[in-house]
Amino acid sequence: MLFLTLPLAGLLVRAPWSTLAERLGEPRVLEALRLSLVTATVATLVCLLLGVPLAWLLARVAFPGRRLVRALVTVPLVLPPVVGGVALLLVLGRRGLVGQWLDTTFGVTLPFTTAGVVVAETFVAMPFLVISVEGALRAADLRFEEAAATLGASRWTIFRRVTLPLIAPGIVAGAVLCWARALGEFGATITFAGNFPGQTQTMPLAVYLALETEPEAAIVLSLVLLAVSVIILASLRDRWVSGP
């Protein structure tokens, strides 16, 4: 416990409390915070759009290679984020496998842009949502869906009116964890999107930059991310933290 809590206590002890409000009001801090909140929220929405159907497929449909697909979904959890950023660059960069086509056909360039930040955050955060929603789908009682089917409800109606309410806690928990992971993403973001103030410099990147020139500013930014982490854990304590 000391090993886990002393570093956090060090942040609190060394924090410049007397100038905290002033430092939090600095334009570069507010800009990094705004960009982090916007990109993390957009990345979470993308994860919901793509991750919920994928989780449903893994939980409810038996198809060849399902175990392989499930393993591939969890790869970003164990893959070093910098490696993920390099992989994204090789696929979506201007000379990448897909990025070259996007650039020549549509004039779309993702690396070193705000959209690139969203892509990097989505890549590393989506497994949290898929795993959470798949677990909720497996735990849901299928008898409710079967009863709705016998009453003549279509598949879409069953999913919208029965399945979604049943798995709503899992979706919310997964979305919150996904958002928190996207907010704290560093390695893939700096590799794929760079570190440009006002465009790709999120809070973790601002912490890294401030640590080299102004340690107290880095501490203040770290406190913001620490507060977000504590709030996330507190909001999900009944699902993830509390035990018998």
Side-chain angles (χ1 to χ4, degrees), residues 114-196:
T114 303
V117 176
V118 174
V119 171
E121 292 177 348
T122 302
F123 177 77
V124 299
M126 189 180 294
F128 290 88
L129 178 73
V130 175
I131 291 173
S132 179
V133 176
E134 183 186 358
L137 282 166
R138 291 183 178 277
D141 194 341
L142 293 177
R143 291 177 298 178
F144 294 105
E145 298 180 16
E146 293 170 354
T150 59
L151 294 174
S154 65
R155 289 186 177 183
W156 170 244
T157 301
I158 293 173
F159 180 75
R160 182 171 55 89
R161 302 291 298 273
V162 180
T163 306
L164 278 181
L166 286 175
I167 65 173
I171 294 178
V172 172
V176 172
L177 289 174
C178 179
W179 184 83
R181 179 64 184 89
L183 188 71
E185 167 51 30
F186 175 82
T189 301
I190 197 172
T191 306
F192 182 65
N195 187 13
F196 303 106

Side-chain angles (χ1 to χ4, degrees), residues 169 172-178 180 230-242:
V172 172
V176 172
L177 289 174
C178 179
V230 171
I231 292 172
I232 295 300
L233 285 177
S235 63
L236 296 179
R237 65 186 183 277
D238 293 335
R239 183 174 181 85
W240 300 105
V241 179
S242 63

Side-chain angles (χ1 to χ4, degrees), residues 190-210:
I190 197 172
T191 306
F192 182 65
N195 187 13
F196 303 106
Q199 187 174 358
T200 65
Q201 187 180 92
T202 56
M203 288 287 285
L205 273 63
V207 171
Y208 176 76
L209 184 64

